[in-house]
Amino acid sequence: MQPSNVFATLTHTSFLAWGRPSAYIPANARKFIGTLSCVRGSVLGMSCHQRKPLSEPPRPHPERTGKFSRLYYPLVLLLSPALLFLLAQQQPRSAQASPQQGEPSVSGPAPVQPPADAGLQPSKPGAPTGALTQVPIGYLKQEVKRLIPLSRLHVEPEDYGIAGAEMALKDNNTTGRFTKQEFTLDVERVPIGSDAVPALQKLRESGHHFILVDAPAETLLRLSDSVKGKDVLLFNVRAEDEELRQEECRANVLHTAPDRYMLADALAQYLVWKKWQRWLVVKGVFPEDLAYLDAIRRAAKRFGGTIVEEREYKETPGARRSDTGEEQIQQQMPTFTQGAPDYDVVIVADEKEVFGPYLPYRTWDPRPVAGTTGLVAMSWHPAHEQWGATQMQNRFERFAKRFMWPVDYQAWIAVRAIGEGATRVRSGEVGPVSDYIRGKDFDLAAFKGQKVTFRKWDGQLREPILVTGPDLPVSISPQAGFLHQNTEVDTLGVDEPESKCKFK
Amino acid sequence: MLRTHILFLAIAVVSGAALAGKVAAYTVYVSNEKGNSITVIDSATLKVKQTIPVGQRPRGIMLTRDGKELLICASDDDTVQILDLATNEIVGNLPSGPDPEQLNIHPSGSPVYIANEDDALMTAIDLKERKVVAEVSVGVEPEGVGVSPDGKVLIATSETSNMAHFIDTDTYEITDNVLVGSRPRFAEFTADGSQLWVSSEVAGTVSVIDPKTRQIIKTIGFEIPGIQPETIQPVGIRILKDGSKAFVALGPANHVAVIDAKRLEVERYLLVGQRDWQLAFTPDEKLLFVTNGNSNDVSIIDVPTLKVVKSMPVGSAPWGVAISQQ
């Protein structure tokens, strides 16, 4: 396979192989294993690490030179310029991420860059000193142990989220050429089980005031509290937990990840519009499943759904593979869904993918499946093409050599919001930029057919949500007819009067 | 019997007068984004004369300055097609680069300027030679292309950088960048060149810029009773030659805004079809054609009376519109 074919293969397999709603999976950070090997990633047509333009000379991958490069040399051609990149890391900051080069700087496992000291630094030799404002952005990724997904198509890419931030950085720097602002990105990966707080300190001490956090809710809260009252703005790009926007909301956090209420509301509005109002709910046993279930119950009440029965799937995950698996499942799933009161649609609450993906085509009654499997609400899907989204998909696929999924999009929005704020207030200072982003003048074009903004009462991104099948988006919510006195998109999630958020 | 005759006569006279008074016959071309075709309309009879199959996803269209050819951005074919209007045949392509969406032409007839959204480039192409003569790096997702009446300044609007880039057409150097509202889609100079109007789809505004000082004179906002503000998404702009009025298509708000272009204030809103996108005047400025992408029709506005006089079906998802002198 020649390098140029890698992407062709990717596009070929894409909508078949990647076509399942794995997007919801990454969105909830539930179906992937953290210790994903590069080899598997390559099998799925996903890149494992940094990528650079094809035109750059091939270099061995920094981490996996030996067997990997022999077996997957073509892929290495694509990925390996990471070494070049590592070399670049040794050089002054300005050499690695200048907007002229258009390539973002991401350290991956490499150490964080030294501070962008004076904040003003020329991007290339000969440029007038002091002409450029530097805006360093951090990306803190807490690695998490995840179950092996039921479908091997749902394995989380190694650079999931990070690639979205990188692309936004490129976008910011293209604009920055004209506004004399230079944005840089440094990634801190915190290994499974390690404390994330020192990593945040490290980023802050090295001059990063804008930091994307890709971590579970409890980690995010600890990070937020550790920099309380300091000049740091955090962006939650991953955690969908409601508490983070409610009782546990924090003044120094903005959420570009949608919460479960928004997702459940988006799905419920569509089902009600479709007049599929009687729901058979099947739920798993994990706290995340119960949180999703709570969101579905709330949405049913709000929009006129009826839960005819709730059924629990008690099995906890065992081995994911066995030679006779399919046969057994074919017997199990119909039995599991047998004898339900009359219903229109099965709603699955199974965030960790223990049984949900087994349900479509196997229910006792011929009924569609929605929820965490089947018809799924999510912030982004790689087949979304409306409102100029094709441009974004093309740019991302060229850049990351894989498809764009929700956390990529959520990280993209966070970095673009920082860029937009810095451009508009003509400053890289966290105070004015943060005020602008939260203020009434801020809006962002994010390929959703209307501006996206942040809700002032809880810091949540206000955005339309895709309701999508495996291969194509089916609709986008809010649905017509669900009215709101200010803006219809606020029918998704927690509205101002019902918000319990008091910023700490 | 006699009465019927008189009635007929009266109708004939009135309608004849209306037709004669209304328009000379111009030819209107509408690109149908999903129909992969160009609908040809007679502006006098307001009837479809012909539907011409063209390349995939035709969007921005423009007549060459000599009026002999129509340039068509065939976005999904990654090319700009040249339609010979004498034969209605595609006679060639311009090397536009990927996914061309909008174009403009220098007042002298060449070069043609095309925004390449994918590459953050503005490409200038010699129309005769059909060769690229210059490429200018601009902001992310360039889209709108404007040319000053004197041909000295080229404008590119970049949708993600939210800028109007001023480009010198001799040196192809960027001379200035003006920040406007989010997702700037379209750039239009007034006929005297004293103002540049830029629509911002997501911000829901139109920025009026003084091209000399590059300062924003005014940002015009829109408000329509009963319409959600998010759905007001300005795209196409046309300004009368005398600079008295401007018309702005407001996308999913399904209205065209009429703006007093002297005071820079909205005068009224005209209800048109769904997701009105682009606009074009007949050369006598009596009629304004509006493409409605979601209702598959065009609305026709009588400019002197500011009334929507007709809507007529065209192909699937009409996008661009251009009107010939003949």
Side-chain angles (χ1 to χ4, degrees):
Chain A
M1 193 163 66
Q2 292 304 305
S4 58
N5 289 340
V6 172
F7 186 61
T9 309
L10 164 76
T11 41
H12 177 68
T13 52
S14 64
F15 289 87
L16 297 168
W18 265 85
R20 303 201 33 195
S22 49
Y24 106 83
I25 301 150
N28 291 335
R30 48 181 100 100
K31 295 190 188 169
F32 304 104
I33 46 167
T35 51
L36 161 74
S37 83
C38 225
V39 175
R40 169 169 295 174
S42 72
V43 169
L44 298 180
M46 296 179 291
S47 73
C48 305
H49 209 260
Q50 279 309 107
R51 92 289 309 153
K52 294 271 168 145
L54 286 171
S55 54
E56 288 192 18
R59 287 299 192 87
H61 191 282
E63 288 172 337
R64 302 179 179 85
T65 29
K67 196 168 87 184
F68 173 75
S69 59
R70 281 199 301 279
L71 288 174
Y72 293 92
Y73 182 69
L75 192 74
V76 170
L77 282 180
L78 276 177
L79 307 174
S80 55
L83 182 67
L84 252 194
F85 154 78
L86 275 186
L87 287 173
Q89 298 246 321
Q90 307 306 318
Q91 293 163 10
R93 170 186 213 88
S94 55
Q96 55 157 314
S98 75
Q100 281 73 18
Q101 292 175 318
E103 277 297 317
S105 95
V106 173
S107 58
V112 173
Q113 284 306 297
D117 37 11
L120 294 172
Q121 222 170 331
S123 71
K124 58 179 179 186
T129 314
L132 212 56
T133 305
Q134 288 241 341
V135 187
I137 300 169
Y139 191 112
L140 193 155
K141 186 176 183 115
Q142 169 75 63
E143 306 282 4
V144 176
K145 192 167 173 136
R146 302 178 205 281
L147 295 171
I148 300 173
L150 278 193
S151 165
R152 49 191 290 113
L153 308 182
H154 294 179
V155 175
E156 179 165 317
E158 181 76 6
D159 62 351
Y160 191 39
I162 296 168
E166 287 174 351
M167 198 181 72
L169 192 78
K170 261 179 81 161
D171 291 352
N172 284 359
N173 278 332
T174 306
T175 308
R177 280 199 331 240
F178 304 113
T179 55
K180 299 201 167 57
Q181 289 178 325
E182 184 181 21
F183 300 83
T184 54
L185 186 75
D186 295 292
V187 178
E188 272 287 301
R189 285 177 187 261
V190 181
I192 296 170
S194 295
D195 189 4
V197 172
L200 178 64
Q201 286 319 119
K202 202 166 149 193
L203 280 169
R204 198 173 88 80
E205 280 160 21
S206 58
H208 299 80
H209 300 284
F210 303 98
I211 296 162
L212 279 60
V213 178
D214 179 346
E218 57 276 14
T219 310
L220 178 68
L221 284 179
R222 287 200 316 109
L223 291 172
S224 160
D225 292 343
S226 78
V227 291
K228 188 180 172 182
K230 309 231 169 85
D231 51 354
V232 172
L233 179 61
L234 302 178
F235 288 84
N236 168 25
V237 302
R238 171 88 74 156
E240 297 172 347
D241 305 66
E242 204 48 53
E243 299 74 42
L244 294 174
R245 289 84 170 166
Q246 295 291 309
E247 293 87 351
E248 295 290 349
C249 72
R250 294 291 187 271
N252 57 3
V253 181
L254 291 171
H255 307 271
T256 58
D259 61 28
R260 288 194 182 89
Y261 283 2
M262 288 169 72
L263 298 174
D265 289 350
L267 178 65
Q269 284 192 4
Y270 176 76
L271 295 177
V272 169
W273 178 86
K274 192 72 190 68
K275 306 239 183 294
W276 290 343
Q277 284 161 283
R278 291 165 305 168
W279 305 342
L280 170 64
V281 172
V282 293
K283 57 191 180 186
V285 296
F286 291 98
E288 294 91 332
D289 303 338
L290 301 181
Y292 187 79
L293 177 68
D294 169 52
I296 287 292
R297 285 176 182 155
R298 174 181 175 273
K301 229 179 256 163
R302 276 159 66 88
F303 303 117
T306 304
I307 297 175
V308 300
E309 190 186 323
E310 286 182 13
R311 238 169 237 206
E312 191 171 60
Y313 190 88
K314 292 201 182 68
E315 295 292 311
T316 47
R320 290 307 173 99
R321 298 179 191 107
S322 70
D323 290 340
T324 57
E326 298 295 315
E327 213 173 294
Q328 213 182 22
I329 293 154
Q330 190 170 330
Q331 299 293 333
Q332 279 173 355
M333 290 300 139
T335 320
F336 175 52
T337 50
Q338 190 180 1
D342 200 16
Y343 69 97
D344 300 313
V345 58
V346 182
I347 296 195
V348 191
D350 171 35
E351 294 213 346
K352 287 183 191 278
E353 200 180 87
V354 175
F355 65 97
Y358 289 147
L359 279 165
Y361 311 107
R362 292 190 179 103
T363 50
W364 182 269
D365 303 297
R367 294 288 180 275
V369 176
T372 58
T373 287
L375 187 69
V376 180
M378 55 182 85
S379 68
W380 190 258
H381 186 279
H384 171 50
E385 293 207 75
Q386 277 196 73
W387 304 297
T390 312
Q391 299 293 331
M392 172 91 140
Q393 309 280 20
N394 285 343
R395 278 214 310 282
F396 186 86
E397 285 162 23
R398 264 204 313 265
F399 174 71
K401 306 286 181 276
R402 63 171 176 83
F403 284 129
M404 186 172 205
W405 292 101
V407 178
D408 296 313
Y409 176 72
Q410 289 150 207
W412 181 87
I413 293 212
V415 173
R416 280 290 301 125
I418 298 162
E420 178 69 8
T423 306
R424 296 286 174 184
V425 301
R426 297 174 189 278
S427 160
E429 299 288 321
V430 67
V433 172
S434 171
D435 288 348
Y436 183 84
I437 293 176
R438 295 165 186 274
K440 65 173 175 43
D441 292 330
F442 174 83
D443 56 53
L444 203 61
F447 312 98
K448 290 285 181 75
Q450 63 178 60
K451 61 181 105 173
V452 303
T453 52
F454 288 94
R455 289 174 180 153
K456 67 179 189 313
W457 57 90
D458 59 3
Q460 171 64 47
L461 185 78
R462 176 190 279 123
E463 60 170 337
I465 296 287
L466 303 179
V467 178
T468 169
D471 295 339
L472 274 181
V474 170
S475 184
I476 187 156
S477 289
Q479 298 295 321
F482 293 96
L483 303 178
H484 189 276
Q485 66 275 26
N486 298 324
T487 170
E488 279 166 15
V489 74
D490 279 346
T491 60
L492 306 178
V494 178
D495 201 2
E496 189 166 17
E498 49 186 347
S499 173
K500 295 186 194 119
C501 171
K502 290 191 180 62
F503 283 123
K504 291 178 223 174
Chain B
M1 188 70 185
L2 183 66
R3 199 180 286 170
T4 325
H5 270 294
I6 290 171
L7 192 64
F8 265 112
L9 194 65
I11 289 171
V13 168
V14 168
S15 53
L19 278 178
K22 199 190 275 175
V23 271
Y26 305 111
T27 310
V28 181
Y29 299 90
V30 174
S31 63
N32 301 304
E33 184 184 3
K34 286 191 184 159
N36 295 343
S37 61
I38 300 286
T39 302
V40 186
I41 300 167
D42 183 319
S43 78
T45 61
L46 297 183
K47 293 236 155 64
V48 172
K49 283 162 70 176
Q50 196 180 350
T51 302
I52 307 166
V54 295
Q56 295 185 75
R57 204 177 178 205
R59 292 195 280 177
I61 55 176
M62 192 165 181
L63 289 150
T64 52
R65 298 288 180 188
D66 62 11
K68 290 184 177 154
E69 290 163 335
L70 182 72
L71 304 184
I72 305 162
C73 292
S75 301
D76 280 358
D77 283 340
D78 300 328
T79 190
V80 168
Q81 295 186 313
I82 304 169
L83 181 73
D84 183 324
L85 298 180
T87 62
N88 285 342
E89 304 265 339
I90 301 288
V91 292
N93 294 292
L94 297 180
S96 65
D99 198 16
E101 182 167 344
Q102 285 190 42
L103 52 74
N104 213 319
I105 305 173
H106 192 271
S108 67
S110 182
V112 176
Y113 304 109
I114 301 164
N116 295 115
E117 277 196 287
D118 260 5
D119 293 342
L121 282 179
M122 175 69 102
T123 305
I125 296 171
D126 184 282
L127 187 54
K128 245 197 203 136
E129 305 285 327
R130 297 180 188 173
K131 278 196 182 126
V132 174
V133 290
E135 283 181 342
V136 188
S137 282
V138 292
V140 186
E141 294 184 25
E143 161 121 4
V145 188
V147 187
S148 64
D150 62 8
K152 288 183 177 160
V153 181
L154 170 66
I155 304 291
T157 65
S158 45
E159 287 179 341
T160 294
S161 295
N162 301 330
M163 284 176 177
H165 305 282
F166 284 69
I167 301 162
D168 185 310
T169 52
D170 286 332
T171 62
Y172 292 106
E173 296 283 329
I174 292 181
T175 55
D176 212 339
N177 308 285
V178 178
L179 267 176
V180 294
S182 300
R183 204 165 157 84
R185 289 296 294 261
F186 195 82
E188 177 85 343
F189 277 92
T190 50
D192 64 2
S194 68
Q195 289 177 351
L196 169 69
W197 290 47
V198 175
S199 61
S200 292
E201 184 190 8
V202 162
T205 56
V206 167
S207 304
V208 181
I209 300 166
D210 180 343
K212 278 206 187 89
T213 63
R214 281 86 193 251
Q215 297 297 311
I216 293 178
I217 303 165
K218 181 162 182 186
T219 302
I220 302 171
F222 304 91
E223 211 173 306
I224 311 173
I227 303 271
Q228 291 261 332
E230 293 84 9
T231 63
I232 298 179
Q233 300 178 357
V235 181
I237 304 173
R238 295 294 174 194
I239 307 164
L240 288 174
K241 280 187 213 110
D242 65 4
S244 60
K245 278 188 177 50
F247 295 80
V248 179
L250 297 179
N254 306 338
H255 282 75
V256 167
V258 183
I259 297 172
D260 180 328
K262 301 280 186 214
R263 290 164 48 235
L264 302 182
E265 268 163 32
V266 180
E267 246 175 43
R268 68 173 88 177
Y269 298 97
L270 307 175
L271 181 65
V272 292
Q274 291 174 24
R275 206 187 197 198
D276 45 317
W277 217 232
Q278 293 292 342
L279 319 158
F281 292 119
T282 48
D284 60 7
E285 296 189 330
K286 294 258 170 64
L287 295 179
L288 178 69
F289 283 73
V290 185
T291 56
N292 304 313
N294 277 2
S295 47
N296 299 335
D297 55 7
V298 294
S299 299
I300 296 144
I301 294 170
D302 184 70
V303 175
T305 62
L306 298 181
K307 293 261 188 288
V308 181
V309 291
K310 190 176 165 86
S311 66
M312 53 183 296
V314 289
S316 180
W319 200 100
V321 52
I323 303 180
S324 79
Q325 297 289 334
Q326 293 87 35

